[in-house]
């Protein structure tokens, strides 16, 4: 049985699970992170002053935009550029 203490052991343990369980764990992790983010927004809406609340929401929006730009580059553009090297120049 694999231990939960080491980082590499956790990855090996998840890789050893059937695909259905891997998908379920991925879905639950994604749901949990989304719920945590929604909870933070809900708390800032009900607590705190307007000035601090607006600054926090602006920073959160900027962070989310940066994450989406990075994701679009590393998931879409970088692989496309790498694949285009096989076709040569026009």
């Amino acid at each position: 049985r694999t231990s939960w203490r080491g980082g590499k052991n956790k990855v090996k343990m998840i890789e050893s699970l059937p695909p259905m369980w891997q998908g379920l764990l991925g879905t639950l992790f994604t749901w949990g992170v989304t719920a945590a983010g929604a909870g933070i927004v809900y708390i800032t809406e009900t607590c705190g002053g307007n000035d601090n609340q607006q600054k926090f929401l602006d920073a959160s929006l900027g962070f989310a935009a940066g994450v989406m730009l990075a994701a679009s580059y590393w998931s879409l553009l970088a692989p496309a550029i790498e694949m285009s090297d096989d076709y040569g120049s026009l």
Side-chain angles (χ1 to χ4, degrees):
R1 184 171 174 160
T2 306
S3 170
W4 280 93
R5 293 185 184 183
K8 290 182 181 180
N9 290 336
K10 290 178 189 175
V11 171
K12 288 180 183 178
M13 183 175 171
I14 292 172
E15 286 177 349
S16 68
L17 292 173
M20 189 172 109
W21 286 106
Q22 289 178 359
L24 179 64
L25 285 175
T27 301
L28 290 175
F29 174 76
T30 305
W31 175 83
V33 173
T34 303
I40 290 171
V41 170
Y42 179 74
I43 289 170
T44 59
E45 289 287 327
T46 57
C47 304
N50 279 340
D51 191 38
N52 289 335
Q53 175 184 350
Q54 188 63 42
K55 287 180 183 177
F56 177 75
L57 292 176
D58 288 345
S60 298
L61 183 61
F63 177 75
V67 167
M68 292 307 295
L69 284 171
S72 67
Y73 177 78
W74 294 112
S75 297
L76 300 171
L77 293 175
I81 291 170
E82 203 172 292
M83 290 171 63
S84 70
D85 289 340
D86 296 337
Y87 295 109
S89 61
L90 295 176

